[in-house]
Amino acid sequence: MAKEAKKLIANNKKAFHDYFIEEKYEAGISLAGTEVKSLRMGKCSIKESFIRIDKDEVYVYNMHISPYEKGNIFNKDPLRVRKLLLHRHEIRKIQGQVAQKGYTIVPLSVYFKGSLVKVEIGLAKGKKLYDKRQDIAKKDQRREAERKFKVQNLY
């Protein structure tokens, strides 16, 4: 069977900069109809969002989905708390790891998989300042090497 195409809606680059991503999970998300229409237009931001587990259920906070222009009374609050849909054993596994020191759950991306909206969440451990500096130094070195390689190939 062919792999279904993923249409990216929003990406959280800041999460990869601030955290080491240990594991990734794919979760469904509970949405209203006008929110789905707004997502189809690509109006979503997960830069400031975070995830918490409350009473064995997973919720995403501060995920901004702009109100649908033609939605009138059916529009929901853009920053409302939304429930993520995961299997119970996945929730328990994540909950056990979050109970350990230093782990948190962050949304990495929002995308369409077929006609369904999915959220990729990551079990993450915070980076220290020196880790961020090392990553920036590695990126600079890689960019410099690519630049030299490109200049050599031009002549």
Side-chain angles (χ1 to χ4, degrees):
M1 197 165 129
K3 190 176 180 183
E4 290 187 43
K6 292 181 181 179
K7 183 180 177 264
L8 189 68
I9 301 167
N11 202 357
N12 191 356
K13 292 179 183 175
K14 188 179 175 191
F16 291 100
H17 182 263
D18 292 342
Y19 301 100
F20 292 113
I21 308 299
E22 305 283 325
E23 287 183 54
K24 294 180 182 179
Y25 296 93
E26 182 180 68
I29 185 167
S30 179
L31 297 171
T34 54
E35 290 175 324
V36 176
K37 289 181 179 184
S38 187
L39 286 174
R40 289 207 184 279
M41 295 169 63
K43 300 195 174 179
C44 177
S45 173
I46 56 172
K47 281 191 176 104
E48 299 297 319
S49 59
F50 59 96
I51 296 171
R52 283 200 183 131
I53 299 175
D54 185 35
K55 298 177 186 165
D56 290 336
E57 292 186 343
V58 184
Y59 296 97
V60 64
Y61 295 82
N62 286 350
M63 179 177 165
H64 188 277
I65 298 176
S66 299
Y68 184 58
E69 286 122 21
K70 300 178 181 88
N72 58 44
I73 61 167
F74 300 107
N75 279 332
K76 303 283 189 212
D77 177 35
L79 289 173
R80 76 181 180 94
V81 178
R82 294 171 181 89
K83 184 177 176 181
L84 294 180
L85 310 170
L86 285 161
H87 291 285
R88 188 170 287 126
H89 65 89
E90 289 178 321
I91 295 172
R92 287 200 181 115
K93 184 177 179 185
I94 293 170
Q95 210 169 12
Q97 290 177 322
V98 168
Q100 294 178 8
K101 185 178 177 247
Y103 279 107
T104 187
I105 317 164
V106 290
L108 303 175
S109 61
V110 180
Y111 55 91
F112 280 105
K113 187 175 182 182
S115 63
L116 303 173
V117 179
K118 299 287 185 178
V119 179
E120 185 177 44
I121 62 174
L123 189 66
K125 199 165 202 151
K127 283 186 181 178
K128 303 282 188 238
L129 185 62
Y130 57 84
D131 291 328
K132 293 179 190 177
R133 286 183 185 149
Q134 284 176 342
D135 284 351
I136 291 169
K138 284 179 188 174
K139 284 181 188 175
D140 287 344
Q141 286 176 343
R142 187 178 47 81
R143 257 192 235 116
E144 191 63 38
E146 286 174 0
R147 194 176 296 128
K148 285 181 182 177
F149 182 73
K150 187 176 179 182
V151 168
Q152 288 174 351
N153 285 344
L154 289 175
Y155 298 107

